[in-house]
Structure formats: C-alpha cells, structure tokens
C-alpha cells in the first residue's frame, strides 16, 4: 500500500511552474557579472590601488582614509547582493521562499511581489545608468583624466545592461508563473 502525499501550496508552485527558458537563465546569471567590474573598481580604491584620484579627492569625495573603508565595501556588497537576487527569477527560491527566511520561509512567493520589485528595480537601474551616461562628460573631469578615466568608464559601462536584462528576466518570470 502506498500513501499519496498531498502537495503543499509551496510544492504546487514549484511543480506547476515550467522551467525558465535558457536565455533567461543566461541573462539572470549575467546581471551579477556585469555588476562585478564597478564593484572591483570601488574595492580597488578602498585597498589603495591607484585608480587615478589624488589624495584630496579620495579624502573629500570617498572618505579615504576614514569612513570610506566601511562605506565603499558596503556599497559593493549591497550592489552584488541585489544583482544576485535576479537569480531568484529563474530558480526555485523565486517560487518558494527559502525556509530560513523569517515569516515567509517555506511559503510560495507571490508572483507580483517578485516581478513587481524586479520591474521597478529594472526601471530604476535603467534610469540611473542612463542619467549617469548623459552626464559622463561632466563628472570628475578635473579629478580623473586619461587612461584612468577610460578604465573607469569601461568598468561602469556594463551597468547599462542591468536594467534591460533584469526587465527581460522579470517578464519571463511573469509569463512562466501565468502558465502554472
């Protein structure tokens, strides 16, 4: 005699949702990778790698030495942490909250809670990165020049892809959840 296990709502959410398309998985994995170069730039500044700023700019604008030793790594950790959340849109923990989370652990993730936050984040990242691109010629003109300015630009440029990639993955998540 076999016993039939009735799936919980959390199990039903995982079992009934189709897998994400391959492109969405790749796009979700790309987001933390495109955030990484600017994170490394900030961390390099923190540990004293010469990035082209003079001591006065490092002290007044970035708090180095001083509070910048805490703030710059914290910004980097938050940036990478938020970027890694994109993976939830293509993994089971985007369908059922991990058990270790207080209050919501083990419960199904509400579709619009995840997708709504992702879409707002995508819109915000797109607006922020595009606005920064528009003022790039005026930012740090006197403080950062030549090769250092070019390196910084190339390290921050991938962030322009964050918003559109996140939006595409969020739309894919919405479509998959509607199919279940």
């Amino acid at each position: 005699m076999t016993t039939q296990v009735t799936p919980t709502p959390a199990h039903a959410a995982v079992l009934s949702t189709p897998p994400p398309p391959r492109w969405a998985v790749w796009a979700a994995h790309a987001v933390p990778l495109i955030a990484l170069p600017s994170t490394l730039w900030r961390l390099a500044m923190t540990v004293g790698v010469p990035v082209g700023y003079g001591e006065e700019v490092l002290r007044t604008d970035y708090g180095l030495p001083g509070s910048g030793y805490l703030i710059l790594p914290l910004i980097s950790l938050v940036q990478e942490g938020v970027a890694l959340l994109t993976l939830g849109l293509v993994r089971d923990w985007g369908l059922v909250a991990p058990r270790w989370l207080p209050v919501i652990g083990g419960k199904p993730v509400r579709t619009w809670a995840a997708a709504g936050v992702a879409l707002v984040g995508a819109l915000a990242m797109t607006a922020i990165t595009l606005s920064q691109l528009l003022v790039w010629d005026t930012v740090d003109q006197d403080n950062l020049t030549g090769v250092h300015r070019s390196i910084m630009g190339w390290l921050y440029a991938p962030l322009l892809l964050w918003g559109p990639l996140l939006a595409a993955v969020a739309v894919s998540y919405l479509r998959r959840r509607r199919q279940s």
Side-chain angles (χ1 to χ4, degrees), residues 22 29 36-37 40-41 50 53 61 72 84-85 95 98 106 130 138 147 149 154 162 171 173 178-180:
R22 183 177 291 182
H29 281 85
L36 192 57
L40 294 175
W41 171 268
Y53 288 120
D61 293 357
L72 294 174
L84 285 166
L85 288 175
L95 303 173
L130 284 177
T138 61
V147 70
R149 185 171 175 78
W154 284 109
W162 186 341
V171 168
Y173 176 84
R178 283 189 184 162
Q179 291 174 7
S180 59

Side-chain angles (χ1 to χ4, degrees), residues 34-43 76 79-80 155-156 159:
I34 64 174
L36 192 57
S38 58
T39 295
L40 294 175
W41 171 268
R42 238 179 272 108
L43 293 175
S76 296
Q79 177 177 313
E80 282 302 319
L155 294 175
Y156 275 79
L159 292 177

Side-chain angles (χ1 to χ4, degrees), residues 161-177:
L161 298 172
W162 186 341
L165 286 174
L166 177 56
V169 175
V171 168
S172 172
Y173 176 84
L174 274 172
R175 287 182 180 158
R176 287 187 315 119
R177 293 298 300 266

Side-chain angles (χ1 to χ4, degrees), residues 127-160:
I128 291 166
T129 56
L130 284 177
S131 70
Q132 292 303 297
L133 177 64
L134 294 174
V135 298
W136 172 250
D137 289 339
T138 61
V139 175
D140 279 338
Q141 272 186 331
D142 298 329
N143 298 329
L144 193 64
T145 58
V147 70
H148 292 108
R149 185 171 175 78
S150 295
I151 291 170
M152 180 187 181
W154 284 109
L155 294 175
Y156 275 79
L159 292 177
L160 291 164

Side-chain angles (χ1 to χ4, degrees), residues 72-134:
L72 294 174
L74 186 61
I75 291 169
S76 296
L77 284 172
V78 168
Q79 177 177 313
E80 282 302 319
V82 170
L84 285 166
L85 288 175
T86 306
L87 296 174
L89 299 172
V90 296
R91 296 283 180 244
D92 287 349
W93 53 272
L95 303 173
V96 178
R99 291 206 175 277
W100 55 266
L101 287 173
V103 181
I104 64 168
K107 295 180 183 173
V109 174
R110 292 186 178 170
T111 302
W112 276 102
V117 169
L119 290 169
V120 168
L123 183 62
M125 280 307 298
T126 301
I128 291 166
T129 56
L130 284 177
S131 70
Q132 292 303 297
L133 177 64
L134 294 174

